[in-house]
Amino acid sequence: MASSPYKQPDQSALLEPLNIVNPKEKFTSETFTSLCLASNRVILTSFKGSSVLSDLFANPHWIRTAHGINGASADGRSLAIFAAYEAILNVYGLPDLRHLATLKGPGSVGSFSFSPVGNELAINSPAGVRIWNTETWQLARDLTNFIGCLFMPDGQTFWLTSDFRTAGLYNYRTLELLLPLPTGTLPLAVSRDGRYLAASLDARHLQVWDLADVRERLRQLGLDWTE
């Protein structure tokens, strides 16, 4: 039997809860909205604003920002936040949380994705994908036939989701489809070196694909694409 192109789960892995703030700081569903990691910092967002913690057990110092779902760029220099059912994405500089830009998506923001080097920011929505240049804050691309974008570290390819069942790897410049994913498999995250892809299977299971292994198998079949 051929081996699977995705990694089998490591049964030895354990997840343990960690209290990251002082117990004096109380969070409820009405105040706390999101958390993300940026290098060695934890960034909290609530209706009070946002707080950048280097000491995981310190009381947060809140700075006024938008509230909603937050996420940081891979280089740890930018933070983006959007509220549910809104078409606006606010971007802040890190670590001082100065406001950098207010970007509008093509529809209600569902998620967003920074490019690995932080020079582009994709806003994903059911109405399309809008990619902004973070150096000029000008619109770079409008992809009306897709609802999701996830950048690859090579800068030459990205994962695009067409609907809630269909996605694939595309050439960034030409939008040529290079590697379709099986129906029901949607990209979630890519490792920093671009080797591993975390994907959702039928919105019920998580798979981790070894893309180096996939490319090797495609080469053996004469189906691999040129770099």
Side-chain angles (χ1 to χ4, degrees), residues 21-49:
V21 294
N22 193 306
K24 294 180 181 178
E25 181 74 25
K26 303 297 183 181
F27 290 113
T28 69
S29 60
E30 288 145 359
T31 59
F32 179 68
T33 56
S34 189
L35 174 153
C36 71
L37 303 178
S39 183
N40 62 339
R41 302 184 180 97
V42 174
I43 304 172
L44 307 175
T45 295
S46 77
F47 283 93
K48 298 179 180 180

Side-chain angles (χ1 to χ4, degrees), residues 3-4 8 15 21 37 44 50 53 62 73 81 84 91 96 99 105 113 129 176 200 220 226:
S3 60
S4 171
Q8 297 297 329
L15 294 178
V21 294
L37 303 178
L44 307 175
S50 295
L53 299 180
W62 300 105
S73 59
I81 304 173
V91 187
D96 58 358
H99 187 263
S113 172
V129 173
E176 175 190 1
S200 166
Q220 294 173 6
T226 57

Side-chain angles (χ1 to χ4, degrees), residues 46-209:
S46 77
F47 283 93
K48 298 179 180 180
S50 295
S51 180
V52 181
L53 299 180
S54 296
D55 179 354
L56 300 186
F57 302 99
N59 280 322
H61 170 66
W62 300 105
I63 296 176
R64 188 71 176 174
T65 66
H67 65 83
I69 306 300
N70 68 9
S73 59
D75 60 9
R77 298 175 61 186
S78 302
L79 177 77
I81 304 173
F82 73 94
Y85 309 113
E86 293 187 6
I88 297 298
L89 183 73
N90 283 284
V91 187
Y92 302 85
L94 289 174
D96 58 358
L97 292 173
R98 68 193 184 282
H99 187 263
L100 298 178
T102 298
L103 307 177
K104 187 174 182 180
S108 297
V109 180
S111 64
F112 60 88
S113 172
F114 284 98
S115 64
V117 296
N119 65 327
E120 289 188 314
L121 173 57
I123 300 178
N124 306 318
S125 85
V129 173
R130 187 165 288 175
I131 300 177
W132 294 86
N133 184 306
T134 61
E135 297 173 353
T136 63
W137 300 114
Q138 297 297 310
L139 182 63
R141 305 184 77 167
D142 240 337
L143 304 176
T144 57
N145 295 327
F146 302 95
I147 64 172
C149 168
L150 182 64
F151 295 97
M152 284 288 284
D154 61 12
Q156 305 299 316
T157 56
F158 53 178
W159 297 95
L160 294 176
T161 300
S162 303
D163 53 49
F164 295 106
R165 301 282 295 167
T166 310
L169 183 68
Y170 288 76
N171 181 289
Y172 181 86
R173 184 176 58 84
T174 66
L175 289 184
E176 175 190 1
L177 177 60
L178 304 175
L179 178 65
L181 290 175
T183 301
T185 304
L186 302 180
L188 297 177
V190 178
S191 62
R192 289 196 176 187
D193 60 3
R195 175 163 184 168
Y196 298 106
L197 170 72
S200 166
L201 176 60
D202 296 327
R204 298 179 60 188
H205 305 283
L206 177 69
Q207 291 183 340
V208 179
W209 289 70

